[in-house]
Structures are given as structure tokens and as C-alpha cells.
């Protein structure tokens, strides 16, 4: 649908859209409208109010309560419940004076600078912020659809009823059964996420169903935290390290002078960096090279056809390919990759003036699609918007990302980056990103404590 | 006692330590000390090896938070330098069993203590005890407040049934018998935090409320003054 | 809510210090915002495994961040984070955090 058609469609949904009401304070008090009250949108609204409380900020979000995606895999193991994922907008309203509108944005006129909602409202903006998260492309896998995801083969990558369905399914897997996870192609939300989910399910099996198995089918040959995550699988779930990764381990340990040039693969096992597992592994990871790319789902028979053959499972969890949130596409903010190009120092869209795109939907060079990224992008954008409303240029930006990940409930690690603008691109300026492969038991256990602490401190920084 | 303790700890680990629930979980399991049980545990404290303790202080990450010699790198953590070995040892037992679980920060300690043996605990305790107490901070209280605080420390307050702090902790805060800790030079923020934790009941690892009963009767202001007072004390050389 | 103008001022002052060296740097406020996801908004947090940074004396902050960066203070994570900042940037953040009431 091109923009003109879309506007027509939006107009038809709501009569009011034809008569946008200008903010009473227009001119005197600038109005910033935020679409999507997830990590990016909420953080932006809070930090813009902190930067200048005289700016009127309206946050439009379709759900009255936010269900946080980060940490949602912990529901699958019963470590937390669905209700623990709920985050309210109370503090944004009462403490920061953000105006909340629970409604769905359906229309947009970049010339008149208005957006309209399913509920029939039209809002004029001076700056528009769009942080709608992702849209899952269920249909990219033959035989898969949103309807099947809601009833039989959940995804849960946008948390909600599918997350609960998956949790219930995992508990009812027969003894010795199989949990099959289909990992997505790049780029996708939360790079370590599918593999952390696999580990947490394996940990649950270890306690409640010790002969059950986790099978990961993957179109990729590598993922963020692949060394430290596999090390955790190796130590906890009988996983055998693939040869190519043994060599990667040796290379890294030599680089950091933990290993001498003489020490090789044998030293990995002699020094306890890895365990020699002889029994069956609870986790198998089939990479793209090995034929892990999935072509087809047969939900009726609970089988998945991958390039290396057909796999039967008791529970299938598919993380399908994804693109920018639907509304960002409809607004014409995406390029042919399906994601939204932006100017780095302000996250203003390169397509529409005075419109900024944050979080998963944006194209942010080396920054992964994560909550932490969305949060620091929102802060950079808030300072840039506050400056630009005063007629000033955005300041020098700085971003950070840390994705904490678990291989078990007391086995934590991370990927961490500090980012700066270098030669026009968002670039890592902090070097090595991972917990060292020779990290001590104390570091790994503390990593898990910090992972849990982060869920709270981070939610507070975004929403409270 | 040793046996019960192992059992308790076993229970904690079986609950898979936990990150989110461990401390609460352990609280239910960890048994409070009786004077007899504590005396036995302290009498059974292995002989500490300070040299090995120094290595453990680095290996187990203690140094990251408490410093290479037990002097905390910032105002956020308690100093452990110069502390009585019995106190350090008892705290590590209590963190491991989950008896000391006074909040999210204590979880850091529950997590590291969980992987320590009693020998490890005695060794780090010996290492800290071999260090001098932290250097005093400059005395910052107005003269009249200092005098009032000094009176509270040395004479207590019979009207509120507060025994003089000095009777147990020593005249200069150098520490007393067994597990009664040194207070001289302690970081005031850590001092205040722990006194508040005694007061609101979240720190309850002391035997028979031997310490909490006094904290409960102090005002917040008195606690702040006591923190500044003890931070500025110079204990006699050991 | 906190008075941002004061903070912004601290940031601006830090920027002046920063520009003494070759490359211009981000303000203390901009840099410090990156830390808030763990250490709390403006470095304020209580009863958390993460420590507050608000009100930390500048000398303590700069010394310990430099120790993290150079590997003199062991860590799980902060050694990585600290490597992303220059001395000038650490000073700018130090000024920012010291100016926030804990
Ligand atoms: C299992 C899992 C684990 C994760 N773990 C981590 C982690 O440990 N660390 C980390 O940093 N990140 C993690 N993430 C990723 C993180 O949750 C996302 O990257 C982050 O939420 C992205 O923020 P956002 O603002 O782009 O989108 P979202 O947070 O998804 O917010 C988008 C919001 O927009 C609303 N919206 C969409 N369209 C409209 C419309 N038309 N009108 C009104 N409202 C609309 C939606 O309802 C939603 O509330 C994890 C994700 C998953 C799935």
C-alpha cells in the first residue's frame, strides 16, 4: 500500500481524522507524539520530560499494560509468572506528566503532521516518535501462520497468550520428548534470546524430565554469545563442543594470553574451560551449514522439514523472520530491507522529516535489536529532540548495549558494547564484548545475579 | 552443628540457588543461632591461612568489591580490613546458609559464599584480620553532637535499656570477644545501612537479637552520628 | 523529579573541561544516560545488586573507572564498559554523577 492509499484507508476508519484538532498550545507549547509505549517509546517520553517538562508529550499505545519481552523466557520454566511481565504506565503519567492515550495508530499525514487512531482521534505533532517493535513474518515458513501460532505452534517472540501456551506445552511434554526451536535469520530481536530460551528449557528438563531433548534448527552458523553460551551448554547439559568452536576457543584464549602458543584443544579440557562429555547431550544445535534452515511446518503431524531432513517433536517453538512494526511499514518509514533507515545522531527518519524511529524497527548499524539498545537510542533521540525544538543542533551522541543472558538460573554472562559515531556509523568503541572464556565460577554466578537485578533496574529506568 | 549447617546449605543449593528466590527460600530454611551452637561453630573454626586467604580474596572476586586488602574501592561497600576473624567467619557462614539476607545487596554475598568451604572462610578471615583497620576519616561532627554520641557509646542509655556500645565493641571500636566486630574506620554508608537493616528486622543473623535490640531503640539521627563517630575512631594497634 | 538544568550545567562545565583535549566529547549527561539501565536513572538506585553512582565523590569515580579500564579492579562487566571511555569522558561523567543528590 503506498502512502496515499494508506491515508485514504486511515481516513475511512475515522471521520475525525479529516479534522485534526491542533493542540491548544500549538506554537507556545510544542507537542511531541510517541507511537508505541514499549522500551523505546516509554524511555523517550520519560527522558524528554526530564530534559524539558514544558514540552507536551502524548504517548499512544495500543495495550493498557505493557508485557515486557525481555525476561519472558523465564515464564516457560515457571521461574516467574505471566503477571510478572506486566508493566504499567502509572509512573510515566503521575511522575513525569506524560499524557497516555490507549489506542492504536492507524493513519499518518506527514505533510499536515498528524496521526490518527482506530478510536477516531487525530493528533497534530511537532515531532513524531515511532517505536512499534517488530512484526513477525509467520508466513515466511510454509505451513505456518498467526492462527497456528495462537493455537498449536507458538512463537512468543512478542510476548502474550502464546508465551503462556508455550509454557503449558513444555510442562506436558512426555518423558523423553523433544522441544524443537526454530531460530530466525539475521537481523532479529534479542540475538542471544533463542539460545537462552533453549538453555532454560533444558534446565527445566534436567529437573523434571531428564531424558527430554532440545533441538535447535538454525539458518545461521553463528550467533551473538555463541562461544559463552555453548560453553554453558557444555558444562550444564552434556553438550559436545563442535570442532570449529574448539578452535575458536583456543584462538581467543591465545589472543588474551591465557593459553601459550603450545596449548591447544587438549588444554581446553585439561584446564576445565570445557568438559569432556561422553553421554548424550540434552541440546543439539543444527547450523545452516549442516542443513538447519527450515522450509516447512506440518502442524497437524508436528513435524518440521529442514534442509537436512524431517524432524518430529512434541513441542515446536518457531521464531520466524521479522521486520519493523506494521505501522512503521504503513507509514512508509521502511526501506527494502523491511527496517527503517535513520540519521544516527538523532534517529530521525531519512524518509520523513520530524519523524524519529527508535528500537527494533530502526537500522542502527552495529547496535543489536535489544531492549538496552532501544533504551539508549531513546535517550539520544530525546536530547536531540529537546535541542531541535529550541532550534539547536543535536549534541555528540553516545550509546551502550548489554544483553545479559543465562545458560542456567545461576549461570550468567553477557555481550556488552559502548557505541560512538565513527565515520558516520554507530561503532563499538569498547573492544572485546564477551565474558572471558576462563571466567571464574564467582564471576559466572554473579553474572546471573546481575541478570536478575537488571530486569528490575532496567524496567524502572524505562517506565518509572 | 556442622552437620545441620551442611544440610541447610544442601537445601539451598538444591533449590538451585537462586537468583530470584534463593534468599527468601534460604531464609525459611536457615536456622537461627543459639549461643551454644555459635560457640561450637566458632570453636570449630579451622585454623586460617592468611596467604591462601589473599589468593582467595582475588579468585573469588572479594577484591572487586572489598578491595585487595579489604579496603573498599568506593563508599558503597563495607571495609573488611582488620576485622576480627571470628566475625568475618560467622558472616560468611550466615551468608552461605542464607541467615543473613538483608536485601538485594546481600544476594551478592549469598552467591559467592555459596561456593566457599569452611576452610576457605577461615583463610579469608585470617587474611582480613592480618590487615590494619581502615584509616580513620576526619572527625566531622559538631563538638556537642560528638560529646553526646561519645556518651551514648561509653555510657549507653539506661532509660532506653541501651548497653554502652563500648562494652561489647571496645572503647575505640577495636572489636570485642568472639564475633563482636570492630567498628573503627568502617565506611559510614555501610554502617548506616546495616544499622537500619538491624532496626527494620531485615538483618536478623545476630544471636538472640544481641545487636538488633539496641539498633531498634536508636533514632535515625543517632545512627548517622554513630556512623560518623566510628568512622573517625583510631583503634589501638593490635 | 530531579532538576535537570543543574545537571545540564554540570554536563556543560564538564564539556568545557573536555574540549581542552583534541576531540570534542559528549556531555556528562549524554554519557551518563547509558549507565542508567543498570545503575538507575541519574545513577540513583537503592536495594539493588547494582550500586548507586549518584553523589559518588568524583575522585572515587574516576579512580575506580580507571582501575576497571586498566584491569586493576576485577569485574564481571565493568572492565568491558570502562574501555569505551577516555579520561575526559570519565571526568565529564564524574562531574555529572557527583552533582546528583543520592
Ligand atoms: C524472549 C526475549 C528475551 C529478550 N531479552 C532481552 C534482554 O535480556 N535484554 C535486552 O536488552 N532485550 C531483550 N529482548 C528484546 C527487547 O524486548 C526488545 O528489543 C525491545 O522491547 C524493543 O523495544 P521497542 O520499543 O522497539 O519495541 P517494543 O518494546 O516491542 O514496543 C513496541 C510497542 O508499540 C506498540 N505498538 C505497536 N504498533 C502500535 C500502533 N500502531 N499503535 C499503538 N501502539 C503500537 C506495541 O503494543 C508495543 O507496546 C528480549 C526479547 C525477547 C522476545
Amino acid at each position: 500500500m503506498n502512502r496515499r492509499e494508506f491515508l485514504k484507508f486511515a481516513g475511512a476508519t475515522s471521520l475525525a481524522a479529516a479534522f485534526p484538532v491542533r493542540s491548544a498550545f500549538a506554537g507556545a507549547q510544542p507537542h511531541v507524539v510517541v507511537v508505541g509505549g514499549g522500551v523505546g517509546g516509554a524511555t523517550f517520553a520519560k527522558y524528554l520530560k526530564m530534559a524539558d517538562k514544558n514540552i507536551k508529550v502524548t504517548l499512544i499505545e495500543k495495550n493498557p499494560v505493557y508485557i515486557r519481552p525481555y525476561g519472558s523466557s523465564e515464564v516457560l520454566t515457571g521461574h516467574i509468572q505471566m503477571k510478572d511481565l506486566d508493566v504499567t504506565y502509572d509512573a510515566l503519567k503521575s511522575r513525569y506528566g506524560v499524557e497516555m492515550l490507549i489506542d492504536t495508530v492507524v493513519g499518518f499525514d506527514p505533510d499536515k503532521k498528524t496521526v490518527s487512531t482506530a478510536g477516531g482521534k487525530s493528533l497534530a505533532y511537532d515531532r513524531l516518535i515511532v517505536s512499534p517493535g517488530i512484526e513477525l513474518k509467520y508466513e515466511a515458513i510454509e505451513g505456518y501462520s498467526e492462527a497456528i501460532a495462537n493455537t498449536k505452534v507458538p512463537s512468543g517472540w512478542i510476548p502474550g497468550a502464546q508465551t503462556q501456551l508455550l509454557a503449558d506445552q513444555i510442562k506436558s511434554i512426555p518423558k523423553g520428548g523433544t522441544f524443537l526451536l526454530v531460530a530466525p535469520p539475521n537481523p532479529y530481536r534479542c540475538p542471544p534470546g533463542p539460545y537462552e530460551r533453549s538453555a532454560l528449557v533444558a534446565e527445566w528438563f534436567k529437573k523434571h524430565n531428564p531424558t527430554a531433548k532440545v533441538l535447535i534448527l538454525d539458518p545461521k552458523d553463528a550467533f551473538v554469545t555463541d562461544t559463552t553460551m555453548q560453553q554453558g551448554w557444555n558444562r550444564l547439559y552434556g553438550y559436545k563442543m563442535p570442532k570449529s568452536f574448539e578452535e575458536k576457543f583456543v584462538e581467543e584464549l591465545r589472543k588474551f594470553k591465557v593459553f601459550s602458543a603450545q596449548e591447544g584443544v587438549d588444554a581446553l579440557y585439561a584446564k576445565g574451560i570445557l568438559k569432556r562429555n561422553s553421554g548424550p547431550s540434552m541440546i543439539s544445535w543444527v547450523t545452516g551449514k549442516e542443513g538447519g534452515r527450515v522450509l516447512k511446518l506440518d502442524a497437524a503431524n508436528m513435524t518440521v522439514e529442514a534442509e537436512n531432513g524431517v524432524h518430529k517433536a512434541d513441542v515446536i517453538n518457531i521464531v520466524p523472520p521479522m521486520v519493523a512494526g506494521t505501522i512503521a511499514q504503513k507509514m512508509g518509514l521502511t526501506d527494502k530491507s523491511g527496517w527503517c533507515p535513520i540519521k544516527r545522531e538523532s534517529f530521525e527518519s531519512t524518509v520523513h522529516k520530524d519523524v524519529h524511529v527508535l528500537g527494533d524497527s530502526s537500522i542502527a548499524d552495529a547496535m543489536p535489536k535489544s531492549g538496552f539498545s532501544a533504551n539508549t537510542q531513546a535517550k539520544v533521540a530525546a536530547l536531540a529532540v529537546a535541542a531541535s525544538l529550541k532550534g539547536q543542533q543535536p549534541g555528540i551522541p553516545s550509546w551502550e548495549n548489554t544483553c545479559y543472558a543465562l545458560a542456567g538460573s545461576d549461570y550468567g554472562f553477557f555481550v556488552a558494547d559502548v557505541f560512538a559515531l565513527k565515520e558516520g556509523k554507530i561503532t563499538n568503541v569498547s573492544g572485546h564484548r564477551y565474558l572471558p572464556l576462563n571466567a571464574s565460577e564467582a564471576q559466572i554466578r554473579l553474572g546471573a545475579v546481575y541478570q536478575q537485578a537488571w530486569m528490575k533496574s532496567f524496567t524502572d529506568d524505562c517506565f518509572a | 552443628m556442622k552437620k545441620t549447617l551442611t544440610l541447610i546449605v544442601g537445601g539451598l543449593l538444591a533449590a538451585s540457588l537462586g537468583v530470584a528466590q534463593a534468599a527468601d527460600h534460604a531464609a525459611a530454611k536457615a536456622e537461627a543461632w543459639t549461643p551454644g551452637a555459635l560457640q561450637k561453630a566458632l570453636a570449630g573454626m579451622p585454623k586460617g591461612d592468611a596467604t591462601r586467604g589473599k589468593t582467595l580474596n582475588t579468585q573469588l572476586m572479594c577484591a572487586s568489591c572489598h578491595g585487595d586488602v579489604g579496603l573498599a574501592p568506593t563508599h558503597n561497600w563495607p571495609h573488611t580490613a582488620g576485622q576480627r576473624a571470628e566475625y568475618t567467619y560467622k558472616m560468611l557462614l550466615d551468608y552461605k546458609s542464607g541467615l543473613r539476607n538483608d536485601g538485594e545487596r546481600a544476594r551478592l554475598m549469598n552467591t559467592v559464599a555459596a561456593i566457599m568451604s569452611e576452610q576457605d572462610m577461615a583463610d579469608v578471615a585470617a587474611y582480613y584480620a592480618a590487615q590494619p583497620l581502615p584509616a580513620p576519616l576526619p572527625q566531622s561532627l559538631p563538638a556537642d553532637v560528638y560529646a553526646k554520641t561519645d556518651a551514648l557509646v561509653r555510657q549507653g542509655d539506661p532509660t532506653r535499656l541501651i548497653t554502652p556500645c563500648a562494652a561489647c565493641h571496645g572503647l575505640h571500636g577495636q572489636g570485642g570477644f568472639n564475633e563482636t566486630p570492630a567498628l573503627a574506620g568502617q565506611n559510614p554508608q555501610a554502617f548506616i545501612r546495616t544499622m537500619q537493616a538491624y532496626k527494620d528486622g531485615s538483618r536478623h543473623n545476630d544471636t538472640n537479637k544481641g545487636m538488633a535490640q539496641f539498633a531498634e531503640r536508636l533514632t535515625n539521627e543517632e545512627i548517622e552520628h554513630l556512623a560518623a563517630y566510628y568512622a573517625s575512631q583510631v583503634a589501638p594497634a593490635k | 523529579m530531579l532538576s535537570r538544568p543543574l545537571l545540564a550545567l554540570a554536563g556543560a562545565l564538564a564539556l568545557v573541561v573536555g574540549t581542552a583535549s583534541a576531540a570534542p566529547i559528549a556531555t556528562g549527561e549524554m554519557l551518563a544516560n547509558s549507565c542508567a539501565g543498570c545503575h538507575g536513572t541519574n545513577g540513583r538506585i537503592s536495594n539493588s545488586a547494582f550500586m548507586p553512582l549518584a553523589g559518588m565523590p568524583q575522585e572515587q569515580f574516576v579512580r575506580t573507572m580507571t582501575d576497571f579500564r586498566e584491569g586493576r579492579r576485577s569485574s564481571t562487566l565493568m572492565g568491558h564498559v570502562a574501555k569505551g571511555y577516555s579520561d575526559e569522558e570519565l571526568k565529564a561523567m564524574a562531574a555529572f554523577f557527583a552533582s546528583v543528590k543520592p
Side-chain angles (χ1 to χ4, degrees):
Chain A
M1 175 165 21
N2 69 31
R3 182 160 69 79
R4 200 144 283 137
E5 283 165 337
F6 169 54
L7 292 174
K8 262 192 240 150
F9 143 81
T13 355
S14 105
L15 277 178
F19 311 101
V21 196
R22 279 260 154 210
S23 147
F25 299 97
Q29 190 191 26
H31 188 199
V32 176
V33 174
V34 184
V35 180
V39 170
T43 306
F44 178 90
K46 167 174 160 174
Y47 273 76
L48 184 61
K49 275 294 200 182
M50 279 168 53
D52 185 348
K53 62 176 184 305
N54 295 318
I55 299 171
K56 177 176 152 122
V57 180
T58 306
L59 177 54
I60 312 177
E61 163 58 48
K62 62 181 169 193
N63 299 314
V65 171
Y66 179 65
I67 305 178
R68 61 175 168 90
Y70 52 93
S72 64
S73 290
E74 290 169 47
V75 173
L76 305 183
T77 59
H79 185 247
I80 58 170
Q81 309 300 315
M82 276 311 285
K83 68 170 169 21
D84 297 321
L85 299 178
D86 287 353
V87 184
T88 76
Y89 295 103
D90 297 349
L92 283 187
K93 279 190 282 193
S94 63
R95 195 174 306 166
Y96 299 95
V98 174
E99 297 190 15
M100 289 298 305
L101 176 60
I102 302 302
D103 208 338
T104 304
V105 172
V106 294
F108 165 56
D109 186 331
D111 303 322
K112 294 204 181 93
K113 295 178 79 169
T114 59
V115 288
S116 58
T117 69
K121 292 212 167 57
S122 173
L123 288 87
Y125 63 80
D126 294 295
R127 296 289 185 281
L128 182 68
I129 312 303
V130 183
S131 190
I134 51 167
E135 177 187 312
L136 296 170
K137 305 291 277 181
Y138 298 100
E139 276 79 13
I141 291 169
E142 195 186 329
Y144 199 32
S145 66
E146 187 166 4
I148 291 174
N150 287 336
T151 51
K152 188 132 195 233
V153 179
S155 155
W157 222 242
I158 298 174
Q162 288 182 21
T163 314
Q164 186 61 56
L165 174 62
L166 192 54
D168 296 342
Q169 288 179 344
I170 288 168
K171 283 184 193 94
S172 61
I173 290 184
K175 293 281 163 254
T178 300
F179 171 83
L180 193 164
L181 185 142
V182 177
N186 286 325
Y188 62 98
R189 153 181 287 187
C190 193
Y195 311 93
E196 175 185 63
R197 175 172 287 184
S198 302
L200 293 177
V201 172
E203 183 177 55
W204 191 85
F205 283 162
K206 208 170 155 180
K207 275 186 230 145
H208 303 282
N209 191 351
T211 52
K213 298 268 181 299
V214 175
L215 171 62
I216 306 166
L217 297 177
D218 203 331
K220 310 182 294 299
D221 298 319
F223 60 88
V224 170
T225 70
D226 56 11
T227 52
T228 41
M229 181 67 80
Q230 287 182 88
Q231 187 180 30
W233 294 350
N234 168 271
R235 288 170 170 176
L236 300 172
Y237 311 118
Y239 178 78
K240 293 180 198 73
M241 191 62 61
K243 280 235 148 13
S244 60
F245 277 95
E246 286 180 333
E247 282 151 22
K248 259 190 161 173
F249 269 59
V250 171
E251 198 181 306
E252 184 180 321
L253 288 160
R254 282 183 186 161
K255 188 172 133 201
F256 288 99
K257 309 250 184 296
V258 179
F259 274 16
S260 67
Q262 285 74 46
E263 285 171 309
V265 171
D266 285 342
L268 291 175
Y269 296 93
K271 295 197 153 177
I273 306 276
L274 292 173
K275 253 168 81 175
R276 279 230 191 266
N277 295 313
S278 49
S281 170
M282 295 186 74
I283 297 185
S284 316
W285 176 40
V286 184
T287 62
K289 250 189 300 206
E290 295 162 339
R293 182 187 309 278
V294 164
L295 310 167
K296 205 165 151 183
L297 166 74
D298 181 344
N301 291 307
M302 290 299 279
T303 59
V304 158
E305 186 186 330
E307 281 174 356
N308 77 339
V310 174
H311 303 266
K312 191 162 173 56
D314 299 285
V315 171
I316 302 173
N317 177 201
I318 300 185
V319 184
M322 53 197 85
V323 288
T326 318
I327 190 70
Q329 301 169 47
K330 287 191 176 174
M331 287 176 164
L333 294 165
T334 47
D335 68 13
K336 62 180 188 306
S337 71
W339 306 96
C340 306
I342 46 88
K343 300 177 194 161
R344 278 89 179 169
E345 59 283 354
S346 61
F347 276 64
E348 185 179 3
S349 165
T350 57
V351 182
H352 291 304
K353 197 174 165 321
D354 296 335
V355 179
H356 300 244
V357 185
L358 306 176
D360 290 351
S361 281
S362 67
I363 301 174
D365 304 325
M367 291 187 88
K369 299 193 182 300
S370 71
F372 208 114
S373 293
N375 168 277
T376 57
Q377 290 164 3
K379 292 166 181 174
V380 166
L383 291 178
V385 166
S388 106
L389 288 170
K390 290 195 201 104
Q392 297 162 356
Q393 289 299 307
I396 297 171
S398 172
W399 304 266
E400 197 158 307
N401 175 65
T402 301
C403 294
Y404 274 115
L406 297 176
S409 55
D410 54 8
Y411 195 108
F413 48 95
F414 54 81
V415 52
D417 300 91
V418 177
F419 294 105
L421 205 50
K422 293 275 173 239
E423 285 151 20
K425 289 253 158 72
I426 302 176
T427 309
N428 164 305
V429 292
S430 47
H432 189 65
R433 313 166 69 202
Y434 303 116
L435 188 69
L437 295 172
N438 62 331
S440 66
E441 188 180 359
Q443 284 174 303
I444 287 167
R445 293 172 65 86
L446 287 168
V449 174
Y450 291 127
Q451 186 269 358
Q452 288 291 295
W454 179 82
M455 294 292 159
K456 178 165 193 320
S457 60
F458 182 73
T459 303
D460 285 352
D461 186 44
C462 302
F463 293 91
Chain B
M1 181 58 212
K2 228 180 231 167
K3 214 166 241 160
T4 13
L5 202 81
T6 329
L7 276 179
I8 293 163
V9 169
L12 173 63
L13 289 179
S16 155
L17 210 123
V19 223
Q21 290 117 339
D24 316 340
H25 196 96
K29 292 246 165 108
E31 229 172 276
W33 293 103
T34 60
L38 179 59
Q39 206 166 14
K40 227 162 135 194
L42 292 182
M45 176 167 93
K47 190 173 156 28
D49 172 350
T51 312
R52 187 167 175 273
K54 179 179 163 68
T55 309
L56 288 173
N57 187 55
T58 307
Q59 258 173 17
L60 295 176
M61 294 288 287
C62 325
S64 176
C65 305
H66 300 292
D68 288 331
V69 294
L71 296 176
T74 74
H75 62 189
N76 283 320
W77 323 88
H79 298 302
T80 51
Q83 189 51 275
R84 295 182 54 74
E86 290 88 344
Y87 178 75
T88 300
Y89 181 73
K90 176 179 185 283
M91 289 309 112
L92 293 169
L93 289 177
D94 290 355
Y95 281 124
K96 182 166 177 173
S97 74
L99 185 63
R100 185 167 175 189
N101 61 348
D102 37 86
E104 293 300 317
R105 293 173 193 239
R107 188 160 292 165
L108 296 167
M109 282 308 301
N110 299 136
T111 301
V112 282
I115 53 173
M116 295 178 85
S117 67
E118 284 166 23
Q119 185 65 54
D120 294 343
M121 295 177 185
D123 293 345
V124 218
Y127 176 61
Y128 292 154
Q131 310 304 316
L133 279 165
L137 295 180
Q139 204 292 102
S140 60
L141 296 170
D144 56 328
V145 177
Y146 185 86
K148 244 174 82 181
T149 309
D150 191 57
L152 184 58
V153 166
R154 288 161 185 253
Q155 289 147 37
D157 182 350
T159 64
R160 290 185 286 168
L161 299 175
I162 298 177
T163 311
C165 320
C168 295
H169 290 284
L171 258 186
H172 305 279
Q174 72 270 39
F177 291 115
N178 274 344
E179 86 282 16
T180 312
L183 303 174
Q186 185 52 281
N187 158 15
Q189 295 216 8
F191 186 106
I192 293 169
R193 215 163 35 233
T194 217
M195 287 294 271
Q196 292 293 355
Y198 277 128
K199 199 174 157 177
D200 69 23
S202 54
R203 179 169 175 182
H204 45 69
N205 63 318
D206 49 338
T207 314
N208 292 339
K209 291 187 92 177
M211 180 58 221
Q213 58 174 323
F214 306 119
E216 281 166 1
R217 295 171 198 145
L218 295 168
T219 66
N220 293 344
E221 209 182 18
E222 282 171 325
I223 290 174
E224 278 169 30
H225 295 158
L226 285 160
Y229 175 93
Y230 274 115
S232 72
Q233 292 305 297
V234 189
K238 278 185 273 191
Chain C
M1 232 197 292
L2 194 85
S3 141
R4 290 298 271 200
L6 199 84
L7 299 179
L9 183 69
L13 285 176
L15 181 62
V16 174
V17 177
T19 43
S21 81
I25 60 163
T27 61
E29 179 188 21
M30 172 74 81
L31 294 164
N33 279 348
S34 285
C35 324
C38 296
H39 293 284
T41 303
N42 290 326
R44 291 156 123 192
I45 196 164
S46 62
N47 194 24
S48 169
F50 298 116
M51 294 298 142
L53 303 177
M56 186 177 284
Q58 298 192 42
E59 176 273 327
Q60 266 183 28
F61 179 92
V62 171
R63 180 172 33 77
T64 215
M65 287 296 284
T66 319
D67 285 350
F68 279 136
R69 193 178 63 192
E70 321 297 344
R72 286 188 297 268
R73 179 172 171 188
S74 62
S75 67
T76 56
L77 177 90
M78 283 305 296
H80 295 69
V81 171
K83 284 192 185 69
Y85 301 100
S86 66
D87 289 349
E88 283 71 28
E89 288 170 323
L90 292 184
K91 278 188 214 148
M93 281 192 271
F96 176 87
F97 285 121
S99 75
V100 185
K101 270 239 285 287

